[in-house]
């Protein structure tokens, strides 16, 4: 099931940007669905009360799938000691009762089973499945994205044309929320090299990190951790042509309430709000200057508006990273 949050009145209902958010891909990561649930609440209760929320919903559709892997989540909740990660497909060939299933984040049809980014052993935690989109959960998410994002912006041969940039005209934003470690990741994930749209995607990663203070996990970055082939983020960018990224929130899969409420929720909601604002033309708008302060005053029958804008402050706040120009 998906939640779709948008405004039906007060703004244009045509030509809206579209943002898709997912969580619960790896079922043992308890915090991500709760974070996206909080984001839904912020949007619903903030409309007509919060200027940023109202603008976002009048100009965008926000689509949220809280549990991409609902069967796995059931097992993770009922039998927490298993630390269940994959789905519950028993047909991969693994005979272990606590290791079967497919890693949905290695099962998508873009660079599937490439190099060292996944495993062909059905008992491994990153087993990529018998084929690309072999799993019903993967098929459901891929079909949803194909309906949501325009086919006109896709490449005819996504893998063969992966080194050609999409350019600034494409629309759509995708964010996949995982736990843990404190990272923002974006393509490429299947290999430690930059994508042809790295200028835009790196700016996106840096600007969201401005809010949550996370490190960048992406090809060409010093904090690239390991390759993940057939992952959802690379597929959304490489096959669907949308600006794509993910968060690894918090310091553990199931954080304490204080850490989650006081740290993880506020800074990541701010990052998601930023991403939602640029969903219509993310490859273009992320490169522009950002308004950091805005103040309106009235007096003498006039309205005076002052603002501070910068094209460098948000992208150059990551500790230990060189300035991005």
């Amino acid at each position: 099931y998906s939640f779709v949050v948008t405004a039906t009145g007060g703004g244009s209902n045509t030509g809206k940007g579209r943002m898709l958010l997912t969580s619960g891909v790896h079922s043992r990561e308890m915090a991500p669905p709760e974070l996206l649930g909080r984001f839904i609440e912020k949007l619903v209760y903030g409309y007509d009360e919060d200027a940023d929320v109202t603008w976002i919903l009048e100009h965008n559709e926000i689509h949220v799938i809280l549990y991409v892997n609902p069967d796995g989540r059931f097992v993770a909740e009922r039998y927490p000691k298993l630390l269940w990660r994959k789905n519950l497909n028993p047909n991969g060939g693994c005979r272990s009762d606590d290791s079967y299933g497919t890693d949905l984040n290695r099962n998508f049809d873009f660079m599937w089973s490439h190099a060292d980014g996944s495993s062909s052993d059905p008992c491994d935690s990153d087993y990529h499945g018998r084929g690309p989109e072999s799993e019903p959960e993967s098929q459901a998410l891929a079909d949803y994205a194909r309906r949501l994002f325009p086919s006109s912006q896709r490449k005819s041969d996504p893998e063969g044309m992966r080194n050609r940039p999409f350019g600034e005209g494409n629309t759509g934003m995708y964010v996949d929320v995982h736990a843990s470690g404190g990272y923002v990741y974006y393509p490429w994930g299947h290999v430690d090299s930059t994508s042809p749209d790295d200028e835009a995607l790196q700016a996106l990663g840096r600007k969201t990190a401005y809010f949550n203070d996370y490190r960048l996990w992406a090809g060409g970055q010093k904090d690239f951790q390991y390759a993940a082939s057939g992952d959802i983020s690379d597929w959304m960018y490489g096959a669907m042509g949308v600006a794509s990224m993910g968060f690894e929130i918090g310091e553990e899969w199931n954080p304490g309430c204080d850490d989650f409420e006081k740290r993880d929720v506020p800074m990541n909601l701010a990052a998601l709000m930023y991403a939602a604002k640029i969903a219509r033309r993310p490859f273009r708008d992320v490169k522009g200057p950002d308004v950091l302060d805005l103040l309106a005053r009235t007096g003498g029958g006039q309205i005076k508006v002052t603002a501070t804008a910068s094209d460098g402050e948000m992208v150059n706040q990551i500790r230990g990273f060189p300035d991005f120009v």
Side-chain angles (χ1 to χ4, degrees), residues 113-236:
S113 77
H114 175 73
D116 298 322
S118 63
S119 175
S120 59
D121 184 339
C123 292
D124 282 349
S125 64
D126 60 347
Y127 172 56
H128 52 51
R130 292 189 170 185
E133 292 181 31
S134 61
E135 308 308 298
E137 300 92 342
S138 305
Q139 295 167 17
L141 177 54
D143 287 345
Y144 193 99
R146 291 184 182 109
R147 294 191 301 269
L148 184 64
F149 301 119
S151 59
S152 58
Q153 68 182 24
R154 304 172 199 167
K155 296 172 181 176
S156 58
D157 178 10
E159 290 189 4
M161 302 168 67
R162 65 185 181 277
N163 293 321
R164 298 184 188 180
F166 283 101
E168 297 183 352
N170 278 20
T171 187
M173 174 72 70
Y174 173 71
V175 182
D176 189 20
V177 183
H178 288 257
S180 58
Y183 294 97
V184 175
Y185 64 86
Y186 56 87
W188 294 128
H190 70 274
V191 65
D192 187 7
S193 63
T194 59
S195 77
D197 289 291
D198 185 67
E199 183 180 18
L201 293 176
Q202 186 177 161
L204 176 62
R206 283 172 172 261
K207 288 186 177 184
T208 50
Y210 173 85
F211 298 99
N212 57 27
D213 199 29
Y214 287 172
R215 293 168 289 175
L216 300 184
W217 176 346
Q221 294 290 352
K222 68 176 185 178
D223 285 320
F224 184 87
Q225 298 296 296
Y226 53 80
S229 58
D231 79 307
I232 305 171
S233 179
D234 272 11
W235 181 82
M236 287 286 181

Side-chain angles (χ1 to χ4, degrees), residues 230-257:
D231 79 307
I232 305 171
S233 179
D234 272 11
W235 181 82
M236 287 286 181
Y237 166 66
M240 294 292 100
V242 304
S244 174
M245 66 175 172
F247 297 165
E248 293 279 357
I249 68 170
E251 297 178 357
E252 52 189 311
W253 299 326
N254 190 14
C257 291

Side-chain angles (χ1 to χ4, degrees), residues 45-66:
Y45 293 113
Y47 183 70
D48 259 353
E49 298 291 334
D50 181 289
D52 285 339
V53 169
T54 302
W55 186 93
I56 286 171
L57 295 183
E58 290 185 349
H59 294 85
N60 298 277
E61 299 173 5
I62 310 300
H63 298 245
V64 185
I65 300 175
L66 294 178

